[in-house]
Every structure is written in C-alpha cells, then in structure tokens.
Amino acid sequence: AVVSTQSGHYSRDYLFQHEDYANAKLHCYDYYIKLLKSSAISSDFCDIFFPGGFKSPNVAEVCQVIIGSGLSSYHLAIAKDSYLNESATVDTLITVMRELQTLSQHLIPHERHYWIVFNCTVHIYTIAKHLHDRGYSKSALEFFVWCCVCVENMVPLMILKFLAWRGTLYTTVCYCYYDMNQPQLAELFARRGLQKVHQLAKIEEQSLSEPTLESETNFRVVTVKLSTVIFKNIVFESRRPKKVIHRPKTRQNLRELQALPFPRTPTEKLVLDMFEGRGAQLLAVLEALTVPGRRTCITGPPPVDSAEGGDSLTEVWGELILGRCTLYVVNVTFTIIERIVYVIERI
C-alpha cells in the first residue's frame, strides 16, 4: 500500500530544496520510513521497502524517500562539522553511503530503474569525495569502487552517454590509491579502466551510427585522464634500477638541455610516446608533479633514498620540471597565436 500522499511528496521536496533538512528528514522522510517498517512482515530490506516487488508503481517514490533521508543526514552532519573533525560525523557519512549502496545493490538487477542507480552513484560519489578531500581516502575508496561496479553492471549505464561519468569514477579511484601510497594499484586500476573504454569504443565502431565530434571528444578525454594516471607511476618506475649498483654516474646538465629541441630527455620521450597534443602532454607532466592528496604542484624533488635508486628518481623530477616549463611555454604561445588568428579572421 502507498503510505504517502501527493501533498506529502510536494512538502518534502519543498523543504529539501529550501535546505530545511531537519524538518524534511523528521516530518517527511523518516515518518514515511517509519510507516513502512510498521507494516512490514519482517526486517528484510525488500520486505520493508518493496513488499510489492520492483515493478510496483511506488518504487520511485520509496527510493526518493530513502535517498532524501540519507542526503538530509549528510547535509545536517556537514553543517555542524564540515571538516570532519569528529569521528561521529565520519560515521554518519559512511552510514548514509552504506544505505545508498544497499539500495543500489537491490536495484542493479532491474534495468528499468537504471536512472535511480545512476543517482545513487552521484550521491555516493559526492559524499565519498567529501571524505576523500578531508584525508579519509581509505574510507572513501570502497564506495568509489562500488560506484564503478554499478555503472559496469547495468547495460543502460554502459553506453556512451555515461562514458564521462565512468571516466570520473575510474580516475577518482586511482587518486585514492595514490593518496594511500599504492601507486601500483592505481596504475593497475587505470589500465583496467582503459580496457573498459576500449571495449566500448569497439562496440561503437561496430554499431551503425556515425561517430560524432562529441563522442570522439568523450573517448579522448577519458583516455587522456586514465593515461595520465598510468604515466604518473611508470615515469618513475621505468627509471628505478632493478638492482642497486654503487658506481659513479654522470648527471645530465638540464641547463644545457634547454637549448635542444623537444624531446630531450627519456621522460619527455615517454610523454611523447604516450600522449598526442601538447595540452595532454602538459597535463601528464603536471599530474606527475602533483603531490598525492593535494592538487598542488611541487617545484623540487621529495627526499629519496639513494639506496633505492633515489639518484635516478631525482633526475626524473628534474626532467619533469624541465618538460613542464617547455610545454607550458608552447601551450601559452599557441593560445596567444590562436587568439590573434581568431581576431584577424573577424576583422
């Protein structure tokens, strides 16, 4: 039986949209859930919320209530503690994501409700990103991975329309691994993501529809995103010596290399092999120079252990900084020339 009314539907939407989360949760969402639990024959999730099955006409309304209750709790929690200083706040966010995870898990076999699952992934991502940005990458990782599971296990979410969203989820999982100091796992997950993207590209090639500029752009953007994550690790691992041999080594003079044409160093050659276009190459170099957990660019090498091939890794940092300077100048110069041509064409 439907336990809500049309006026109640409008009331909770009105309160939520006007950010009155406390009243929306207490008097609308939680009240609805309380009525459902009181009429349930057991404590099972489906018996409580979906006693009539997933083809019932009120499935969407019930899902909206579950999601609304969780999001209200999330907004109320971060309003009091946006920096997540209290462990109770972190627990609240994890509980909300767990509820959304449970809901999406039951909806995955029913493709007609794919848009609800998609909304669940968006909300889980938003909450997990809040945890991730505050240094709780380990807690957020599980839920980012779950979002990837959702979009990979519902056919309607595997189409080209949702490719950009899948790319965002894949790269966020990789950044979590980097924040947890597990670059090998980040590279492995990025390669897995690239494989999924290539599979979709092959399906699109076999389809009768003509490729559009938007679809080609989406494939390129996602490919570049995941490739930069891979480059971030292999640019160092490829130069790490397999066996440490203590012998004198001549350091290359980066100042002298500035006058030579691009590419000049092994790092720049690797960038050129992996990426097309100066913009993508600059992005890869900047990502490799980015400190995990923060979107800041460092200007010098971190402390490294010479017993573990630190000298070679220090050279990589120098080559990355040299490549960054060159690619930045090229991109800025190209942008200026492009703007001048644009203006001249319209005179």
Side-chain angles (χ1 to χ4, degrees), residues 87-226:
S87 59
T89 308
V90 177
D91 293 340
T92 299
L93 268 57
I94 292 177
T95 299
V96 172
M97 290 189 293
R98 193 76 66 190
E99 293 172 353
L100 296 176
Q101 181 182 23
T102 303
L103 174 62
S104 56
Q105 181 179 357
H106 285 84
L107 291 175
I108 284 178
H110 309 279
E111 293 185 355
R112 61 187 297 178
H113 300 304
Y114 75 92
W115 57 275
I116 301 179
V117 176
F118 172 75
N119 288 338
C120 285
T121 63
V122 172
H123 297 314
I124 291 173
Y125 173 86
T126 301
I127 301 173
K129 194 69 169 63
H130 199 108
L131 286 170
H132 179 227
D133 293 341
R134 296 294 184 264
Y136 294 93
S137 298
K138 188 175 182 179
S139 300
L141 176 62
E142 172 191 350
F143 299 99
F144 285 136
V145 173
W146 174 253
C147 291
C148 296
V149 171
C150 289
V151 298
E152 289 181 358
N153 284 274
M154 293 196 80
V155 174
L157 296 180
M158 297 172 63
I159 62 177
L160 182 60
K161 178 181 178 181
F162 299 100
L163 176 61
W165 178 236
R166 289 174 63 185
T168 299
L169 294 175
Y170 290 151
T171 51
T172 307
V173 171
C174 296
Y175 287 137
C176 271
Y177 280 126
Y178 274 118
D179 291 345
M180 295 165 57
N181 198 26
Q182 296 179 338
Q184 290 79 15
L185 292 179
E187 180 187 342
L188 185 64
F189 196 87
R191 292 187 182 278
R192 177 187 176 280
L194 269 181
Q195 185 178 6
K196 296 289 184 181
V197 173
H198 292 159
Q199 289 175 358
L200 179 59
K202 290 181 180 179
I203 294 174
E204 288 295 319
E205 289 177 0
Q206 296 173 359
S207 65
L208 300 177
S209 58
E210 290 290 333
T212 63
L213 179 61
E214 182 181 2
S215 64
E216 293 177 353
T217 302
N218 284 339
F219 277 115
R220 174 172 170 74
V221 169
V222 174
T223 301
V224 169
K225 279 184 178 181
L226 294 172

Side-chain angles (χ1 to χ4, degrees), residues 68 79 84 127 154 169 197 229 237 240 276 307 319 324 346:
L84 309 185
I127 301 173
M154 293 196 80
L169 294 175
V197 173
V229 176
E237 292 300 320
R240 192 186 297 273
E276 296 181 1
E319 293 173 5
R324 179 192 65 179
R346 280 154 181 78

Side-chain angles (χ1 to χ4, degrees), residues 283-320:
L283 176 63
V285 171
L286 290 176
E287 280 295 329
L289 286 169
T290 301
V291 179
R294 293 175 293 167
R295 303 267 65 83
T296 54
C297 190
I298 60 178
T299 57
V304 291
D305 188 358
S306 58
E308 296 182 0
D311 294 339
S312 299
L313 300 185
T314 303
E315 281 191 4
V316 175
W317 283 103
E319 293 173 5
L320 284 169

